[in-house]
Amino acid sequence: MLILHCPYCGVDADETELSPGGEAHLTRHGPGSDDTDFESYLFMRENPKGPQFERWRHAMGCGKWFHAARHTVTMQVFGTYPAQTQRPPQEILDRISAAQPGWRWRDLGDEGQRA
Amino acid sequence: MSDLQSALQGARFDGYVSVFEAQPAGMIQLRADLAEDAVAHAVHRATGATIPQPLGLSTGDRGEALWMAPDELLLRVLTDAIPELLADVQDDLRDHHHLALDVSAMRTEIRVEGAAVREVLAKVTPVDMETLKPGTVRRTRLAQVAAAIWLSNDETAHVLCFRSVATYVFDVLSVSARKGGEVGAF
């Protein structure tokens, strides 16, 4: 059972109050984009055994979308943050690095290096 | 406007706590930037209440304001006062980005009264009823549907659910309140 802190209303919401929204930090490629970009936007998803960044909606509560970082195996929650951002906050990245040195997720990873 | 009919026609169930439909209230949904002075003024003029804290509830001489989301309040007032108050709110906020609507028919309030209200609700919602303080409004899940729950004191709980699921919520609470179902957890 996951309990995520909603950064908008400040409630520690039980998983059953939330609805999952898939992977976070996707870049949309719409009409006019090239086929490879569009394909990757539409279909390509991370499926890590490790830290994952996800979107969640506090559906039964305040109704707002937020982002969460959690470990897919240990279910450790590294933190939640508002959705109006392109990149997770540094403190959450630091927390993941502390728990899992050398982690990678798309272009994010330990020590902020690009893969 | 046609007469407002309550969803449950005043239904009541007495188990080890009482579950009954509350008198229909007039409700105004207000979405706006809650930090603006004009919004505080409009809310005060309509209900006599101040802007509630997050997850809070504030009461005035004409009604109460419930915090629903960072940009949303629910004003509960007398049904008869709705057209006038709604016009006032819209007038006060005419120069501000906002939405004010009469949603009196959208939701139903069910009241739960008795010493064991926390236990009866704890059976059907993930909210930690032990630490829920009177005056905190929690929008949450109640069995399979969304509902808002708040306590006005340790023996009175208010449950606000959508009208379309009012019968379901009433039945769920009635089953939870049935005599013989006491847990004694609190």
Side-chain angles (χ1 to χ4, degrees), chain A residues 14-64:
Chain A
D14 178 280
E15 187 179 346
T16 57
E17 275 186 41
L18 306 166
S19 44
E23 193 170 312
H25 305 298
L26 293 176
T27 303
R28 181 174 182 274
H29 293 279
S33 61
D34 75 60
D35 287 355
T36 324
D37 284 345
F38 185 67
E39 184 207 18
S40 90
Y41 159 63
L42 207 55
F43 299 114
M44 298 309 187
R45 294 294 182 269
E46 296 296 311
N47 184 19
K49 191 175 174 183
Q52 167 76 311
F53 296 85
E54 296 169 322
R55 304 167 72 224
W56 287 87
R57 180 170 177 255
H58 195 188
M60 298 271 183
C62 65
K64 305 294 180 201

Side-chain angles (χ1 to χ4, degrees), chain A residues 3 44 106:
Chain A
I3 293 177
M44 298 309 187
R106 285 209 248 136

